[in-house]
Amino acid sequence: MRGGDIRTEGLFSYVSCEARVPSSHPLRAIRAICDEALEVLSPDFEAMYAKVGRPSIPPEKLLRALLLQAFYSVRSERQLMEQMDYNLLFRWFVGLAMDAPVWDVTVFTKNRERLLGGDVAAKFLGAVVAQARGRNLLSDDHFSVDGTLIEAWASIKSFRPKDGGGDPPGPGRNGERDFHGEKRSNQTHASTTDPEAKLYRKSNGQPSRLAYMGHVLMENRNGLVVGATLTQATGTAEREAALALVDGLKPTRRITLGADKAFDAREFVRELRARKVTPHIARNDHLTKTGARRTSAIDGRTTRHPGYGVSLRIRKRIEEVFGWIKTTGTLRKTRHKGTDRVGWAFMLTAAAYNLVRLPKLMVAA
């Protein structure tokens, strides 16, 4: 028998968002981990807000909403608010009732800005890592480090001389601009859209682009992120950030650090050894343009151990982190401007990567 096409907008519903989410849904386990981490951050939230006045968006709900943006590749906060208006799964994860009004996107953005000053993204990542450490999911001895370019929210046409010279783009919304024969560098030019972004090329054969550089420290047991930071894109940024991330670990015994050929520099290796870190770095002893072979800073003291080959093989898993952050986390090209905002988004997305992986690891453990 054919059912009737009868509309039921006028009927009341007594079903909660909780009842609409299947008990086996992956977000249930993720929310439990997320809530435990947010509970750790509660004293920090208390210090950031005034004791009197009109209540703001709860920071816990704001962070859960931003995590959903990373989990489901929502490309803007305006679209995120639109999804939250009708998506019961999003409402349940954030903690909004079915009939609760959704925040205005401008109010949401202004409240997010408050969390920048409190370094909340780094503390949230630390709280998630602490849960993994408490369940013995992290290695305390073996780590890997690498960096990747995060394309800035700025056009190459905005890269103009700092003295105000140079020909402006042609008329129109996206006017033409001829760069042939013009010498450009970060010393003489800067982006008018995002002055903190730098023109950089990661390797030979790649185009130069306005970008930042994101850095990740990964433990080698399960490939989880234990440290993340973002810097301006420079030739030494990867090695400088690696040292800062290692210092943040505060190791109490000797550890190993895997890395690619870009880290094979004598000064960097010397700094690692001074910190009692064994440099499991890929040897960069290629032939130069003159036909001479480059001398590597990694010698037989390191390469003769079997663990060296193991570290070189496992360190490649760090590319999985960058792949998830750039594709699912939508950070191939950032939506923000400035090192602080882009770095905040990068660290929160790194925490989201851990949250996606932790439930299965906890079950297996």
Side-chain angles (χ1 to χ4, degrees), residues 8-274:
T8 59
E9 290 92 339
L11 297 179
F12 290 100
S13 175
Y14 298 98
V15 180
S16 65
C17 294
E18 176 75 24
R20 292 291 186 180
V21 180
S23 59
S24 60
H25 198 281
L27 279 184
R28 285 193 175 274
I30 291 176
R31 178 168 173 176
I33 301 170
C34 179
D35 288 349
E36 186 175 335
L38 291 173
E39 185 65 28
V40 175
L41 267 62
S42 183
D44 296 282
F45 294 147
E46 285 289 339
M48 291 166 54
Y49 290 83
K51 302 299 182 184
V52 296
R54 187 171 57 184
S56 67
I57 299 176
E60 294 87 352
K61 293 183 179 179
L62 194 150
L63 278 173
R64 291 194 201 101
L66 291 173
L67 288 172
L68 284 174
Q69 189 174 9
F71 295 152
Y72 289 92
S73 307
V74 182
R75 67 173 183 262
S76 70
E77 291 172 358
R78 190 171 299 277
Q79 277 201 342
L80 178 64
M81 293 301 102
E82 180 183 339
Q83 284 268 357
M84 295 234 327
D85 198 18
Y86 58 77
N87 192 323
L88 296 185
L89 177 66
F90 279 27
R91 282 179 171 268
W92 168 81
F93 186 84
V94 172
L96 286 178
M98 292 183 67
D99 56 350
V102 176
W103 311 295
D104 180 81
V105 64
T106 306
V107 176
F108 183 86
T109 303
K110 286 184 178 295
N111 277 266
R112 173 178 53 79
E113 292 296 309
R114 186 196 302 269
L115 301 183
L116 284 173
D119 202 18
V120 170
K123 293 176 181 177
F124 181 74
L125 175 60
V128 173
V129 170
Q131 290 188 56
R133 181 173 287 110
R135 290 169 171 81
N136 198 29
L137 296 175
L138 303 181
S139 171
D140 295 325
D141 304 307
H142 307 291
F143 301 89
S144 298
V145 70
D146 204 358
T148 189
L149 288 184
I150 304 296
E151 190 174 347
W153 190 259
S155 168
I156 196 69
K157 296 177 185 178
S158 70
F159 198 60
R160 306 287 302 281
K162 294 180 181 179
D163 59 7
D167 298 330
R173 184 174 179 272
N174 192 20
E176 295 293 330
R177 174 74 167 88
D178 186 9
F179 299 108
H180 291 289
E182 180 182 341
K183 186 177 180 180
R184 296 175 295 167
S185 70
N186 291 315
Q187 285 70 38
T188 59
H189 290 60
S191 170
T192 56
T193 305
D194 187 357
E196 295 184 43
K198 298 295 183 182
L199 191 67
Y200 190 76
R201 182 178 64 179
K202 191 74 161 61
S203 60
N204 293 332
Q206 297 293 324
S208 297
R209 61 188 67 187
L210 289 170
Y212 293 93
M213 189 168 285
H215 313 271
V216 162
L217 183 67
M218 178 192 78
E219 57 81 33
N220 287 0
R221 179 176 298 170
N222 288 305
L224 294 173
V225 177
V226 295
T229 187
L230 184 129
T231 64
Q232 291 182 317
T234 66
T236 60
E238 284 188 294
R239 297 189 289 273
E240 293 169 356
L243 292 176
L245 290 171
V246 168
D247 291 340
L249 284 176
K250 297 181 175 61
T252 57
R253 55 187 175 185
R254 180 171 290 275
I255 64 174
T256 67
L257 185 70
D260 59 26
K261 294 180 179 180
F263 294 83
D264 187 6
R266 293 193 179 279
E267 183 62 29
F268 177 69
V269 172
R270 189 180 303 115
E271 290 286 344
L272 287 183
R273 294 191 186 279

Side-chain angles (χ1 to χ4, degrees), residues 281-297:
I281 299 172
R283 288 171 55 87
N284 187 8
D285 55 358
H286 67 279
L287 289 174
T288 63
K289 294 180 180 179
T290 61
R293 184 168 294 279
R294 184 184 182 278
T295 303
S296 173

